[in-house]
Amino acid sequence: MGVMSTVSSGQHTRPMCYLLLLMILQLGLHTAEGVWPLPQTLISSTERFHLSPQAFYFGYGRQSAAQQGCSVLDAAFKRYFALIFPDYTSGRWNLFSDKNESKILLQICLFSVDHNDCDGYPNESSSERCKHKRLESFSQLVYQDDFGSYFVNKTDIKDFPRFQFRGILLDTSRHYLPVQAILKTLDAMAYSKFNVFHWHIVDDPSFPYQSRTFPDLSSKGAFHPMTHIYTQSDVRRVISHARMRGIRVLPEFDSPGHTKSWGKGQPDLLTPCYKGGIPSGTFGPINPALPSTYHFMATLFKEVSVVFPDSYIHLGGDEVDFSCWKSNPYVRAFMQKMGFGSDFTKLEAFYMENIVNITSALNKTSIVWQDVFDYHERVSTPQQITHINYEVRSTYYAELSRMTKAGMRVVLAAPWYINHISYGQDWHNYYTVQPLNFSGTEEQKKLVIGGEVCMWGEYVDATNLTPRLWPRASAAAERLWSDEKQTSNVDMAFPRLQDFRCKLVRRGIQAEPLYVGHCKQEYQGI
């Protein structure tokens, strides 16, 4: 991104990376701390340009595939104008209100994009060399002097992400997160250039997703049927908010385990557990022996595939407790009929294979947790994506090697379970992860499509979500976006991350401090 060009009246110059500024040249020594995550190439000088909010606006380059009327970019321009000039509160722009109006030039930041993605949703092939990510980089380069004037230094940036999948998981089953808390997280994700919101929307404790087809799932399975649910309108609002920030929404409906809340609103779905040859009154995972199970799942996923437009869907498949299946005589009889013997991993494989086929018929790419691969590789196909979640470093490196050798695409989450907290600067642990430091060929390493920060909700709700997540998640964001060789030193990263944390605070994100210090603009309250 070539951030500046100085022009006189009637002249235009166009930098190589599609971004043009027309402004007055000023000289000075101040500079911004930098950009987070670090761009692939950033060359900055001490030459600086004064920015006047009265004269500045964003526009489209002549060669841009998108032009005025592009909803995504038009909204982004308005949003980033407010972020760049937070103290500018005038309702209207008066371009020549300055006393020295003859010296003020119109300041135009022109954006050109090579794809017109204005009406669609972000997807795995979306270009990230422009649009929101470029706006974010530029916004972080603008700074104020002690008198409140805005400046940006002459800077050349060339940028693109290292990995295509850079996710944040929120768990809305163990604690309900109000929609506003999710939207604020999406804002912060955009600032850190995350591009996938993995919505772990239901689990054992509660089923807050309000299904049109099966309304009893939430009316009986949510913590509260009116206040602790996500209506269809809520889901559309989240997806729309994410879309305008270049973020995909990946829903997860984990099964056959983690489904206790499902059974409250869907009779005969869960497996009855037996004790002493009779039903105990308790229930285990989804019952894989009944045809009605697959009819229900097909109908539910048909709805989900329409409500959530992304091409990916997460099917879970982890941590299935076999004890209830083992206790049920009808399940055991079904296993004998199918030739599974007493191998319950084959029963789970049978179930998962059916669910994968259901979602494949809906033209969805399935993502599963690593258990599905570990226990029954025959279910896994190169079309699937496997999600590594067990946290021991030697284990996840071995998993990366084994899965990619089998031709599987992989998302790494294991080292970024950020719900775990400890005293001190634990962001170092997330920053120094080396996702490709496993035994394998270059072709294998290309199959690692990215990583994900997971915020599981046992001890997290809207009161502590934001400070627990930020800026610690931003450490992982740089690892997934930036060149690893340029970003391997935590001491060099600290001043930039500290500055970025202050930017988050000024933008209304309650990011916790990294260490002793202060921000020029402290958090002013909710």
Side-chain angles (χ1 to χ4, degrees):
M1 174 170 66
V3 181
M4 353 243 115
S5 294
T6 306
V7 302
S8 58
S9 178
Q11 291 181 318
H12 264 191
T13 60
R14 182 175 179 179
M16 58 185 295
C17 289
Y18 313 121
L19 179 59
L20 175 66
L21 288 177
L22 310 183
M23 54 189 64
I24 307 169
L25 177 63
Q26 300 279 343
L27 294 177
L29 298 176
H30 295 286
T31 183
E33 286 288 346
V35 176
W36 192 282
L38 189 70
Q40 304 298 327
T41 302
L42 185 149
I43 303 173
S44 183
S45 81
T46 56
E47 290 184 63
R48 70 176 184 177
F49 299 82
H50 173 250
L51 300 182
S52 171
Q54 294 95 336
F56 180 95
Y57 73 92
F58 292 107
Y60 294 87
R62 290 185 179 181
Q63 303 301 317
S64 177
Q67 292 293 330
Q68 190 169 2
C70 175
S71 60
V72 173
L73 278 175
D74 286 352
F77 290 161
K78 292 179 181 178
R79 194 167 64 248
Y80 273 95
F81 181 90
L83 292 174
I84 292 167
F85 304 112
D87 293 335
Y88 182 67
T89 57
S90 172
R92 298 179 63 185
W93 297 358
N94 185 347
L95 296 179
F96 298 108
S97 61
D98 194 281
K99 293 180 180 179
N100 299 314
E101 62 182 49
S102 61
K103 296 181 181 179
I104 294 182
L105 296 178
L106 195 62
Q107 300 172 346
I108 311 172
C109 179
L110 293 181
F111 273 78
S112 290
V113 296
D114 52 8
H115 291 85
N116 186 342
D117 297 329
C118 298
D119 299 319
Y121 293 91
N123 56 64
E124 60 184 312
S125 60
S126 295
S127 171
E128 294 189 279
R129 291 174 178 262
C130 294
K131 301 203 310 188
H132 317 80
K133 311 302 186 292
R134 201 163 286 281
L135 277 166
E136 178 58 38
S137 297
F138 174 67
S139 73
Q140 292 187 33
L141 291 171
V142 177
Y143 59 95
Q144 287 180 276
D145 65 11
D146 293 336
F147 303 99
S149 296
Y150 293 95
F151 295 92
V152 64
N153 284 59
K154 182 178 180 181
T155 307
D156 184 78
I157 291 178
K158 296 177 185 177
D159 206 9
F160 52 86
R162 181 186 182 196
F163 294 102
Q164 66 170 251
F165 187 110
R166 306 177 308 282
I168 294 275
L169 177 149
L170 293 186
D171 171 6
T172 58
S173 173
R174 290 173 175 86
H175 282 96
Y176 177 83
L177 295 175
V179 171
Q180 195 57 44
I182 296 174
L183 301 185
K184 178 172 272 193
T185 301
L186 290 170
D187 290 341
M189 286 175 62
Y191 303 151
S192 288
K193 300 182 183 176
F194 284 103
N195 69 340
V196 179
F197 168 41
H198 177 176
W199 195 349
H200 189 86
I201 192 168
V202 298
D203 205 297
D204 279 331
S206 73
F207 196 107
Y209 170 73
Q210 188 179 58
S211 167
R212 289 193 303 261
T213 315
F214 302 104
D216 281 352
L217 288 172
S218 62
S219 66
K220 297 180 179 179
F223 287 134
H224 189 282
M226 299 296 291
T227 60
H228 286 59
I229 60 170
Y230 301 107
T231 65
Q232 298 284 307
S233 176
D234 291 333
V235 172
R236 286 195 298 269
R237 186 180 174 195
V238 169
I239 292 171
S240 175
H241 197 88
R243 170 183 170 265
M244 300 304 279
R245 287 152 182 79
I247 297 171
R248 303 163 59 187
V249 178
L250 166 64
E252 180 182 356
F253 288 80
D254 190 357
S255 72
H258 292 280
T259 50
K260 287 182 181 178
S261 65
W262 301 40
K264 297 176 182 178
Q266 186 61 27
D268 302 320
L269 177 65
L270 302 185
T271 304
C273 304
Y274 279 65
K275 187 173 183 179
I278 60 173
S280 65
T282 61
F283 295 88
I286 284 177
N287 192 335
L290 299 179
S292 59
T293 289
Y294 303 102
H295 176 73
F296 165 78
M297 296 299 287
T299 306
L300 176 64
F301 278 122
K302 184 178 180 180
E303 174 188 320
V304 168
S305 70
V306 173
V307 173
F308 292 90
D310 199 82
S311 61
Y312 288 3
I313 187 167
H314 206 300
L315 304 179
D318 65 319
E319 299 177 334
V320 181
D321 184 350
F322 295 149
S323 60
C324 186
W325 284 350
K326 290 178 180 178
S327 75
N328 187 296
Y330 299 100
V331 171
R332 294 199 306 270
F334 176 78
M335 290 181 65
Q336 294 303 314
K337 177 183 174 182
M338 297 299 294
F340 298 158
S342 59
D343 187 349
F344 285 87
T345 65
K346 291 181 178 179
L347 180 61
E348 185 186 357
F350 172 82
Y351 172 83
M352 290 304 300
E353 192 169 6
N354 276 277
I355 302 305
V356 167
N357 289 340
I358 287 169
T359 54
S360 295
L362 296 167
N363 295 316
K364 295 290 187 178
T365 298
S366 58
I367 304 183
V368 294
W369 294 110
Q370 72 182 71
D371 285 359
V372 177
F373 180 88
D374 290 345
Y375 293 157
H376 25 76
E377 296 184 22
R378 71 183 182 87
V379 178
S380 303
T381 67
Q383 288 73 42
Q384 274 178 228
I385 297 169
T386 307
H387 207 156
I388 297 179
N389 57 307
Y390 292 135
E391 300 169 71
V392 179
R393 179 171 297 192
S394 60
T395 301
Y396 71 71
Y397 279 143
E399 288 287 323
L400 284 165
S401 182
R402 194 160 66 94
M403 290 176 182
T404 55
K405 189 174 182 179
M408 299 294 298
R409 288 182 291 168
V410 177
V411 171
L412 179 63
W416 293 305
Y417 268 40
I418 209 162
N419 49 289
H420 298 316
I421 58 174
S422 60
Y423 189 79
Q425 299 192 49
D426 63 352
W427 68 272
H428 293 183
N429 301 330
Y430 311 126
Y431 191 76
T432 54
V433 173
Q434 297 176 294
L436 302 184
N437 189 27
F438 63 91
S439 177
T441 66
E442 287 305 309
E443 290 305 309
Q444 282 180 249
K445 296 184 179 185
K446 289 178 182 176
L447 292 173
V448 180
I449 64 171
E452 181 175 275
V453 171
C454 295
M455 181 60 81
W456 296 104
E458 288 89 348
Y459 305 99
V460 176
D461 66 6
T463 64
N464 63 347
L465 169 66
T466 300
R468 186 166 293 192
L469 191 55
W470 310 106
R472 296 158 76 230
S474 302
E478 180 150 291
R479 180 55 54 243
L480 294 170
W481 179 278
S482 306
D483 183 324
E484 190 174 296
K485 292 180 180 178
Q486 298 182 57
T487 55
S488 58
N489 188 308
V490 293
D491 294 329
M492 292 180 65
F494 178 80
R496 280 190 305 110
L497 185 55
Q498 191 174 45
D499 179 67
F500 180 66
R501 180 256 169 181
C502 288
K503 288 185 172 76
L504 292 177
V505 167
R506 190 171 192 186
R507 294 177 179 188
I509 305 299
Q510 290 172 275
E512 68 178 16
L514 292 170
Y515 191 56
V516 176
H518 78 289
C519 293
K520 185 176 180 181
Q521 290 86 20
E522 297 289 1
Y523 187 72
Q524 296 300 313
I526 298 174

